[in-house]
Tab-separated table of all heavy atoms in Angstrom:
chain	number	residue	atom	x	y	z
A	212	ASP	N	-14.264	13.567	-17.519
A	212	ASP	CA	-13.641	14.267	-16.331
A	212	ASP	C	-12.285	14.854	-16.624
A	212	ASP	O	-11.449	15.102	-15.758
A	212	ASP	CB	-13.597	13.302	-15.123
A	212	ASP	CG	-14.968	13.004	-14.585
A	212	ASP	OD1	-15.740	13.911	-14.478
A	212	ASP	OD2	-15.151	11.880	-14.274
A	213	ASP	N	-11.987	15.054	-17.922
A	213	ASP	CA	-10.623	15.493	-18.265
A	213	ASP	C	-10.360	16.869	-17.651
A	213	ASP	O	-9.193	17.190	-17.416
A	213	ASP	CB	-10.520	15.621	-19.790
A	213	ASP	CG	-10.115	14.297	-20.391
A	213	ASP	OD1	-9.724	13.429	-19.651
A	213	ASP	OD2	-10.110	14.203	-21.641
A	214	HIS	N	-11.364	17.707	-17.458
A	214	HIS	CA	-11.126	19.045	-16.777
A	214	HIS	C	-10.525	18.843	-15.395
A	214	HIS	O	-9.653	19.613	-14.965
A	214	HIS	CB	-12.424	19.826	-16.669
A	214	HIS	CG	-13.548	19.192	-15.908
A	214	HIS	ND1	-14.195	18.102	-16.324
A	214	HIS	CD2	-13.962	19.554	-14.717
A	214	HIS	CE1	-15.111	17.824	-15.377
A	214	HIS	NE2	-15.004	18.672	-14.320
A	215	ILE	N	-10.808	17.761	-14.633
A	215	ILE	CA	-10.280	17.535	-13.354
A	215	ILE	C	-8.907	16.932	-13.549
A	215	ILE	O	-7.925	17.242	-12.840
A	215	ILE	CB	-11.224	16.529	-12.545
A	215	ILE	CG1	-12.508	17.233	-12.288
A	215	ILE	CG2	-10.462	16.077	-11.276
A	215	ILE	CD1	-13.588	16.229	-11.796
A	216	LEU	N	-8.760	15.955	-14.445
A	216	LEU	CA	-7.538	15.267	-14.730
A	216	LEU	C	-6.478	16.208	-15.210
A	216	LEU	O	-5.261	16.108	-14.833
A	216	LEU	CB	-7.787	14.090	-15.694
A	216	LEU	CG	-8.759	13.031	-15.177
A	216	LEU	CD1	-8.906	12.011	-16.244
A	216	LEU	CD2	-8.279	12.440	-13.851
A	217	ASN	N	-6.851	17.238	-15.996
A	217	ASN	CA	-5.906	18.210	-16.504
A	217	ASN	C	-5.374	19.033	-15.278
A	217	ASN	O	-4.095	19.381	-15.319
A	217	ASN	CB	-6.551	19.148	-17.498
A	217	ASN	CG	-6.809	18.422	-18.801
A	217	ASN	OD1	-6.205	17.487	-19.156
A	217	ASN	ND2	-7.859	19.013	-19.586
A	218	ARG	N	-6.154	19.309	-14.303
A	218	ARG	CA	-5.708	19.986	-13.172
A	218	ARG	C	-4.690	19.103	-12.335
A	218	ARG	O	-3.678	19.610	-11.811
A	218	ARG	CB	-6.858	20.397	-12.200
A	218	ARG	CG	-7.869	21.383	-12.765
A	218	ARG	CD	-7.192	22.724	-12.969
A	218	ARG	NE	-6.781	23.303	-11.818
A	218	ARG	CZ	-7.188	24.456	-11.212
A	218	ARG	NH1	-8.101	25.098	-11.784
A	218	ARG	NH2	-6.656	24.904	-10.052
A	219	ILE	N	-4.962	17.826	-12.281
A	219	ILE	CA	-3.981	16.925	-11.638
A	219	ILE	C	-2.647	16.982	-12.442
A	219	ILE	O	-1.572	17.010	-11.735
A	219	ILE	CB	-4.591	15.477	-11.598
A	219	ILE	CG1	-5.730	15.434	-10.611
A	219	ILE	CG2	-3.468	14.523	-11.185
A	219	ILE	CD1	-6.457	14.173	-10.556
A	220	ALA	N	-2.713	16.881	-13.717
A	220	ALA	CA	-1.523	16.943	-14.559
A	220	ALA	C	-0.757	18.210	-14.325
A	220	ALA	O	0.502	18.257	-14.347
A	220	ALA	CB	-1.853	16.781	-15.991
A	221	ARG	N	-1.389	19.312	-14.043
A	221	ARG	CA	-0.702	20.662	-13.861
A	221	ARG	C	-0.354	20.906	-12.452
A	221	ARG	O	0.303	21.935	-12.133
A	221	ARG	CB	-1.608	21.751	-14.379
A	221	ARG	CG	-1.741	21.815	-15.926
A	221	ARG	CD	-2.367	23.049	-16.389
A	221	ARG	NE	-3.545	23.461	-15.626
A	221	ARG	CZ	-4.802	23.477	-15.995
A	221	ARG	NH1	-5.082	22.756	-17.116
A	221	ARG	NH2	-5.773	23.851	-15.269
A	222	GLY	N	-0.661	19.931	-11.571
A	222	GLY	CA	-0.492	20.184	-10.105
A	222	GLY	C	0.951	20.046	-9.747
A	222	GLY	O	1.825	19.790	-10.614
A	223	LYS	N	1.228	20.137	-8.446
A	223	LYS	CA	2.622	20.107	-7.973
A	223	LYS	C	2.811	18.959	-6.943
A	223	LYS	O	3.943	18.660	-6.577
A	223	LYS	CB	2.913	21.429	-7.271
A	223	LYS	CG	2.776	22.592	-8.208
A	223	LYS	CD	3.851	23.597	-7.943
A	223	LYS	CE	3.695	24.782	-8.758
A	223	LYS	NZ	4.251	24.615	-10.090
A	224	PHE	N	1.823	18.155	-6.545
A	224	PHE	CA	2.006	17.076	-5.642
A	224	PHE	C	2.789	16.019	-6.437
A	224	PHE	O	2.880	15.955	-7.629
A	224	PHE	CB	0.704	16.473	-5.063
A	224	PHE	CG	-0.292	16.088	-6.130
A	224	PHE	CD1	-0.263	14.898	-6.777
A	224	PHE	CD2	-1.280	16.979	-6.510
A	224	PHE	CE1	-1.187	14.507	-7.718
A	224	PHE	CE2	-2.229	16.652	-7.439
A	224	PHE	CZ	-2.217	15.413	-8.062
A	225	ARG	N	3.517	15.185	-5.602
A	225	ARG	CA	4.508	14.328	-6.276
A	225	ARG	C	4.063	12.914	-6.508
A	225	ARG	O	4.703	12.173	-7.219
A	225	ARG	CB	5.776	14.277	-5.315
A	225	ARG	CG	6.424	15.630	-5.187
A	225	ARG	CD	7.616	15.538	-4.309
A	225	ARG	NE	8.272	16.812	-4.296
A	225	ARG	CZ	9.199	17.113	-3.500
A	225	ARG	NH1	9.723	16.246	-2.697
A	225	ARG	NH2	9.782	18.332	-3.519
A	226	LYS	N	2.981	12.491	-5.805
A	226	LYS	CA	2.598	11.145	-6.047
A	226	LYS	C	1.049	11.048	-6.231
A	226	LYS	O	0.333	11.743	-5.538
A	226	LYS	CB	2.918	10.249	-4.822
A	226	LYS	CG	2.623	8.813	-4.946
A	226	LYS	CD	3.214	8.028	-3.833
A	226	LYS	CE	4.600	7.761	-4.002
A	226	LYS	NZ	5.120	6.690	-3.116
A	227	LEU	N	0.705	10.261	-7.179
A	227	LEU	CA	-0.715	9.976	-7.522
A	227	LEU	C	-1.004	8.532	-7.248
A	227	LEU	O	-0.377	7.656	-7.861
A	227	LEU	CB	-1.046	10.330	-8.958
A	227	LEU	CG	-2.463	10.037	-9.412
A	227	LEU	CD1	-3.540	10.857	-8.658
A	227	LEU	CD2	-2.623	10.264	-10.918
A	228	CYS	N	-1.932	8.233	-6.300
A	228	CYS	CA	-2.236	6.831	-5.918
A	228	CYS	C	-3.581	6.605	-6.417
A	228	CYS	O	-4.583	7.194	-6.084
A	228	CYS	CB	-2.240	6.695	-4.382
A	228	CYS	SG	-0.647	7.173	-3.666
A	229	VAL	N	-3.696	5.605	-7.396
A	229	VAL	CA	-4.895	5.388	-8.100
A	229	VAL	C	-5.451	3.975	-7.669
A	229	VAL	O	-4.695	2.938	-7.890
A	229	VAL	CB	-4.714	5.418	-9.596
A	229	VAL	CG1	-5.995	5.093	-10.417
A	229	VAL	CG2	-4.206	6.725	-10.012
A	230	GLY	N	-6.679	3.875	-7.238
A	230	GLY	CA	-7.253	2.602	-6.975
A	230	GLY	C	-7.748	1.805	-8.090
A	230	GLY	O	-8.405	2.371	-8.973
A	231	ILE	N	-7.378	0.586	-8.144
A	231	ILE	CA	-7.821	-0.325	-9.171
A	231	ILE	C	-8.670	-1.453	-8.562
A	231	ILE	O	-8.181	-2.078	-7.639
A	231	ILE	CB	-6.560	-0.952	-9.945
A	231	ILE	CG1	-5.764	0.125	-10.584
A	231	ILE	CG2	-7.001	-2.035	-10.915
A	231	ILE	CD1	-6.514	0.886	-11.653
Side-chain angles (χ1 to χ4, degrees):
D212 290 318
D213 275 348
H214 62 289
I215 297 168
L216 301 175
N217 289 336
R218 295 294 299 242
I219 291 172
R221 291 193 314 260
K223 299 217 184 281
F224 54 86
R225 295 181 179 173
K226 186 173 278 193
L227 176 63
C228 304
V229 180
I231 299 296

